Amino acid sequence: MRLRATPIERAALSADQIDRMFALYSASYCDAHRDLFDRDLSDKTHCIILCDTESVIQGFSTLKLYATTWGGTPLRVIFSGDTIIDPAHWGSQQLAFAWIRLAGEISRSAPGVPLYWLLICKGHRTYRYLRAFAHDYAPRFDAATAPDVQALTDHLANQRFGAAYDGNTGVLSFPTPQGRLTPTLAEVPDAHRRLPDVAYFLARNPRYANGDELVCLCELSTANLRPMARRLFCST
């Protein structure tokens, strides 16, 4: 079935669309509380919805765009929230393509201001998008994190999550889980475990199945993006 991904401002989502998004969310997470979902969604600024030919949402990704400063320099941050695709449609890359196109639009709207992607990962599939999109990101298995990048990561994580963030491990851990993957989605196939980046993610975030999340950072710039991602990022 053909799918189409469309960016939309979070405030423009209809009640029916939000209900469908929660249905997808509750099928993917053990801790599917509607009040938690609604509160988290209300904090976001944008959403990308993945729809089939009948206009039924089969996936979505939420994000929050915000401005901050670091060392006296302004910068902007795209903080990724939930990204969910109905397993029947795994393999479609339309959601990822629309996400990077939207990031490019955001970058062009303020070309002189650095743009960073703050991503928290409770699953290895999400973590692997960093390598698919970018040359450099943190943390990664094949390169130590530069001190200035680690300092910025710690700053953004502390700013947003406070005491839930452990700077020694780079992991978020909440007293009450904010969403644990279902056992089926938390399962890591043996073939994936043998991949270096997946093995690294599992070592860095061993309690991912309990809802812990690895905090990651990536600069979104044409110089840092891989060729396909760069083409989408620069498309108009």
Side-chain angles (χ1 to χ4, degrees):
M1 183 177 292
R2 187 173 180 178
L3 302 173
R4 180 175 181 176
T6 306
I8 184 173
E9 292 189 4
R10 188 271 306 162
L13 290 168
S14 70
D16 287 345
Q17 288 175 318
I18 295 172
D19 287 344
R20 172 59 180 167
M21 290 164 61
F22 179 70
L24 292 170
Y25 175 88
S26 61
S28 298
Y29 291 106
C30 296
D31 310 294
H33 302 295
R34 182 61 189 258
D35 57 343
L36 176 64
F37 176 83
D38 287 344
R39 186 166 64 250
D40 182 77
L41 182 61
S42 69
D43 181 57
K44 301 303 185 289
T45 57
H46 298 75
C47 182
I48 299 169
I49 53 174
L50 183 68
C51 295
D52 61 23
T53 54
E54 303 298 323
S55 298
V56 176
I57 296 177
Q58 301 294 348
F60 67 90
S61 184
T62 64
L63 64 93
K64 179 174 184 175
L65 172 65
Y66 67 95
T68 186
T69 59
W70 172 244
T73 300
L75 56 86
R76 294 192 299 167
V77 178
I78 293 176
F79 168 61
S80 282
D82 294 310
T83 296
I84 297 171
I85 299 176
D86 187 305
H89 299 283
W90 283 2
S92 170
Q93 297 303 318
Q94 294 306 310
L95 193 66
F97 292 166
W99 190 95
I100 199 68
R101 287 192 193 99
L102 176 59
E105 292 177 15
I106 291 170
S107 176
R108 288 189 294 276
S109 69
V113 182
L115 180 64
Y116 286 87
W117 180 19
L118 179 63
L119 177 67
I120 57 175
C121 303
K122 62 166 62 78
H124 72 284
R125 294 177 182 86
T126 301
Y127 178 71
R128 294 186 69 199
Y129 273 110
L130 290 159
R131 177 169 291 276
F133 283 163
H135 295 292
D136 192 24
Y137 57 91
R140 51 188 291 184
F141 79 92
D142 55 351
T145 301
D148 59 332
V149 174
Q150 187 62 60
L152 177 56
T153 303
D154 292 342
H155 169 71
L156 294 175
N158 281 311
Q159 186 182 60
R160 184 159 189 85
F161 301 105
Y165 176 66
D166 184 344
N168 294 318
T169 64
V171 170
L172 294 173
S173 182
F174 299 94
T176 301
Q178 301 296 293
R180 294 170 297 152
L181 291 169
T182 62
T184 298
L185 294 182
E187 179 67 28
V188 182
D190 289 341
H192 288 189
R193 288 180 181 273
R194 290 192 288 270
L195 297 172
D197 52 347
V198 174
Y200 177 79
F201 170 80
L202 296 174
R204 287 294 306 265
N205 188 14
R207 287 174 45 85
Y208 77 95
N210 293 323
D212 285 5
E213 307 193 57
L214 181 66
V215 178
C216 306
L217 189 67
C218 174
E219 184 173 6
L220 294 169
S221 66
T222 55
N224 191 39
L225 294 176
R226 295 185 183 277
M228 179 178 288
R230 186 186 308 124
R231 286 195 296 272
L232 294 167
F233 188 79
C234 295
S235 64
T236 56

